[in-house]
Amino acid sequence: MYKGSCLCGKVTAEIAGPIESIIHCHCSKCRKNSGTAFSTNGFVLKAHFKITKGQNYLGEYETSPGKRRYFCKTCASPIYSASSTTPNYIRLRLGFLDSDIEERPKSHNFVNSKANWEVFEATLPHYEEHEPGRENFQQKTQ
Ligand SMILES: [Zn+2]
Ligand SMILES: [Zn+2]
């Protein structure tokens, strides 16, 4: 069981299952949403993700059709996104986690959108868009 909380602590959650397909996303939306060079995100089955406190503090913003980003209305911490293309999953913002995790990031994605000030010395694989295999999550339920 992993635990997470936002910056102000009003929103807390528990993650009962694995965090899959963790990547560093350098796309312009993740940069703006995170306020920094990239966002580190991973899939968690909706059935494994439970907001344990502060559901009423969750704000949401639809950044592209069918994709909503959820954040704490008080402190603005990004918490997760939900997309109509992966209806059984949420996509967790890993900065939200308080627990140490066993899973590790697999790649850097949307590297062509990276900020020109970012010193990019990463050794993980680089992809111009999503990593190979992302489409598997669109139908998967378990
Ligand atoms: Zn907060
Ligand atoms: Zn992104």
Side-chain angles (χ1 to χ4, degrees), residues 25-27 29-30 41 69 110:
C25 188
H26 299 252
C27 85
K29 286 177 177 152
C30 284
N41 311 322
R69 291 173 187 254
F110 292 91

Side-chain angles (χ1 to χ4, degrees), residues 6-11 57 72-77 79:
C6 65
L7 180 58
C8 75
K10 285 184 172 150
V11 181
Y57 286 100
C72 172
K73 285 185 202 170
T74 296
C75 68
S77 296
I79 299 173

